[in-house]
Every structure is written in structure tokens, then in C-alpha cells.
Amino acid sequence: MTILNKTNWTLVSFILNGVPGLEDIHMWISFPFFSMYIVAMVGNCGLLYLIYYEDSLHRPMYYFLAMLSLTDIVMCSSTIPKALCIFWFHLKDIGFNECLLQMFFIHTFTGMESGVLMLMALDRYVAICYPLRYSTILTNPVIAKAGLVTFLRGVLLIIPFTFLTKRLSYCRGNIIPHTYCDHMSVAKLSCGNVKVNAIYGLMVALLIGGFDILCITISYTMILRAVVSLSSADARQKAFSTCTAHICAIVFSYSPAFFSFFSHRFGGHTIPPSCHIIVANIYLLLPPTMNPIVYGVKTKQIRDRVIRILSGSKDIKSHGI
């Protein structure tokens, strides 16, 4: 295959090198990746099944959870199958356009993940601070519009990544030291000026991540004020318990993201590249794996339905709580 078109220095394909420095143990690394991917797919598909068929789960909180599950399925499926092909079969080639497409899906749906977590925080705020108006504020059309706006926000902000990357000329080889096509990992292979790419990437991170974290912080500040003002200890505990699963989802999602962000900028050469690559994959794989488990354990309605199905009950579809 021709890798480089010498007339305009446009790459035809890239080589994804996996985890640099750990090539000898790629097979061992693949086992936790594969196990987590299977758990993520089964767990999120199971959640979607329950939410679709259970009448008692046709509520705003679970609609947002369904959005999160769909996002998680796409997010981890954009990277893990290719990573496993690298680890198991040494299939490292990826076409230039395929690389751009993978980049688009990864960044769009990581932004979507952050946006859905923000919507879920607003859902908890309305449920706890305005319980009597909960169903009238978060109607099905409002939920659908909120999900659509969150998706379009990601698409419109990420599309420029593909054009900014496609316009570059590449003369520094075609080997990407990663398991997937990350925006800056690809841009660094260019012999042109990538300052615009770096600045725009930082702007998008601030626009999406910064805005969502701010909204989540404000929502939970208001929730905390409302819960503390409750006179009953049981009421306070019940209100806090409805937020536990969502707080866990936030921790699983943002912790690897913060580590990756700050280690790249302040870690210097003290953190090996292999650690950066593994954390980047955990960032895309840990939330899809843990979210169904956390919501299955912490949410009584989901837990009860799962137990009933596993116990062999034929009455799968419920009309009450």
C-alpha cells in the first residue's frame, strides 16, 4: 500500500502502534480491555432493554440514563474493537479517512457523555428542589430537545477537528503511538503549524467540559442547600441516596479525564507514554463499564427488575413501581 503521496504530502493511511514500550505484553493488556468491553456492552444493552420494556422506568431520570447508555456503547465501540485487533492480530493499519471518522466519533461522544451527565445533574436538581413540578417541567418533549441539543453541540464543535486535521501536510511519518486516532496525536505528525489545532482543542475542552462541570457544580450546590434544610434525617438520607449513582458516574467519567489533562501539561517526562495511553483508554472504557453496575446496584427500581428477571419471573413488563 502506498503510504505517502509525495506530490502533496497527504497520508493514505496511519499505523496505530498500540501501547508504546509495552508491545511484548499487548496480549496480556488485551484481556482486561476485552473483559471490560463485554461487561460494558452487556450492561448498557441490558439497561436499554429494561428502560424500554418496563413501564415504571418511563421517567425522566431513566430516559437520561438511556441516553448515557447509548453514548457509552458508541464511545467504547469506537475504540476497543480496533485496539483488540492491534493487540491480537497486529492489524495496525487504519486509513486516513477512517482515522478522521474514528476521531470524530470519539470526541463527539466523549462530549456527549459530559453533556448527558450535566443533564442528569439538572434532573436531580429539579427532582429534589421542585418535586411537585418534576413531571411538568421535565416532559418528554423537553427531554428529547435537551438530548438533541447536547448531541448537536458535540457534532458542531467536533466537525472542525476533522477539517483542521485534514488540511495539514504530513511529513513526519505515519506511526501514531496510540491505540486510536486522537486529535493531537495525529496532528503532531504534521510538518505544518498545529497551533490552531491545539488552541481550538483547548477551547472545545473548556466549552464542553468547563460548562458542564460548572452546571453540575451549581446543581449540586443547590441540591445540598435544599437537602440540608430538610427537617427529617430520613428525608435527607433519601434525597442524598437518589444522587449516589450519578455522583459515582461523574467520578468514573471525570477522574481519568482530569488525570490525562493535567499529566500531559504538568507531568512533563516523569510519566511514561505507556501510562498516558492506558489512562486514555480507561477514560473511554471505565464509564461504560461501571455505569450499568453502579445504577444496577444503587437504583432500587432497576435492581428489583434485574433480580426478578434473573429469578426466572415471566412477568417482565411491569405497570408499577
Side-chain angles (χ1 to χ4, degrees):
M1 178 185 292
T2 301
I3 300 299
L4 190 65
N5 181 337
K6 293 183 172 21
T7 59
N8 58 8
W9 300 96
T10 301
L11 284 170
V12 175
S13 69
F14 291 107
I15 295 175
L16 292 169
N17 216 24
V19 184
L22 300 179
E23 289 85 358
D24 292 341
I25 58 171
H26 271 178
M27 184 62 70
W28 294 105
I29 295 173
S30 70
F31 290 121
F33 276 48
F34 176 71
S35 301
M36 292 175 73
Y37 181 63
I38 293 299
V39 171
M41 294 300 292
V42 172
N44 284 291
C45 289
L47 273 180
L48 290 173
Y49 173 84
L50 282 177
I51 293 169
Y52 180 78
Y53 280 104
E54 291 286 345
D55 289 347
S56 64
L57 301 182
H58 292 177
R59 297 179 180 179
M61 172 184 170
Y62 302 106
Y63 290 146
F64 288 125
L65 180 57
M67 290 183 198
L68 188 66
S69 292
L70 281 171
T71 302
D72 284 341
I73 289 171
V74 177
M75 190 170 71
C76 64
S77 296
S78 299
T79 57
I80 300 305
K82 179 61 181 177
L84 293 176
C85 286
I86 295 170
F87 295 151
W88 290 345
F89 310 114
H90 304 287
L91 298 176
K92 299 182 177 183
D93 282 358
I94 184 168
F96 184 74
N97 290 327
E98 294 170 17
C99 186
L100 293 181
L101 186 63
Q102 185 187 52
M103 182 196 308
F104 171 78
F105 272 96
I106 291 168
H107 292 298
T108 297
F109 282 91
T110 51
M112 181 77 178
E113 173 100 356
S114 178
V116 173
L117 288 173
M118 180 265 293
L119 293 178
M120 295 175 83
L122 296 177
D123 167 77
R124 292 297 83 205
Y125 164 70
V126 175
I128 292 172
C129 297
Y130 302 98
L132 299 180
R133 298 173 56 194
Y134 179 60
S135 59
T136 58
I137 294 174
L138 292 177
T139 60
N140 288 349
V142 169
I143 294 169
K145 289 175 184 176
L148 180 61
V149 168
T150 304
F151 174 71
L152 291 177
R153 180 191 68 168
V155 170
L156 294 176
L157 288 174
I158 300 304
I159 281 179
F161 276 146
T162 58
F163 291 107
L164 288 172
T165 306
K166 198 175 181 67
R167 71 179 176 86
L168 296 172
S169 297
Y170 296 89
C171 58
R172 296 181 180 174
N174 68 323
I175 297 176
I176 302 174
H178 215 306
T179 56
Y180 60 82
C181 291
D182 175 68
H183 171 231
M184 287 309 298
S185 297
V186 176
K188 286 177 181 177
L189 298 178
S190 167
C191 49
N193 189 344
V194 298
K195 185 179 290 186
V196 174
N197 295 64
I199 292 173
Y200 185 74
L202 185 59
M203 284 177 55
V204 169
L206 292 174
L207 284 172
I208 293 179
F211 176 78
D212 292 343
I213 291 171
L214 177 63
C215 289
I216 290 170
T217 303
I218 293 172
S219 295
Y220 272 100
T221 301
M222 301 299 290
I223 289 171
L224 189 61
R225 288 179 57 187
V227 171
V228 169
S229 66
L230 295 174
S231 57
S232 169
D234 289 339
R236 287 196 295 270
Q237 183 179 359
K238 184 177 180 182
F240 274 127
S241 67
T242 64
C243 300
T244 305
H246 181 244
I247 292 171
C248 290
I250 292 171
V251 171
F252 289 134
S253 182
Y254 284 112
S255 295
F258 282 137
F259 176 84
S260 182
F261 181 84
F262 288 112
S263 63
H264 270 296
R265 283 151 183 82
F266 306 111
H269 298 288
T270 59
I271 301 176
S274 58
C275 182
H276 287 298
I277 305 305
I278 291 174
V279 171
N281 281 276
I282 289 174
Y283 169 52
L284 298 176
L285 191 54
L286 184 64
T289 303
M290 296 305 299
N291 287 343
I293 296 173
V294 169
Y295 275 94
V297 171
K298 294 292 184 180
T299 308
K300 184 178 185 300
Q301 290 86 344
I302 294 176
R303 185 174 65 247
D304 290 347
R305 270 61 180 175
V306 171
I307 291 173
R308 193 181 63 207
I309 291 172
L310 293 178
S311 66
S313 173
K314 295 181 180 180
D315 182 21
I316 295 176
K317 192 164 185 174
S318 172
H319 297 279
I321 297 179

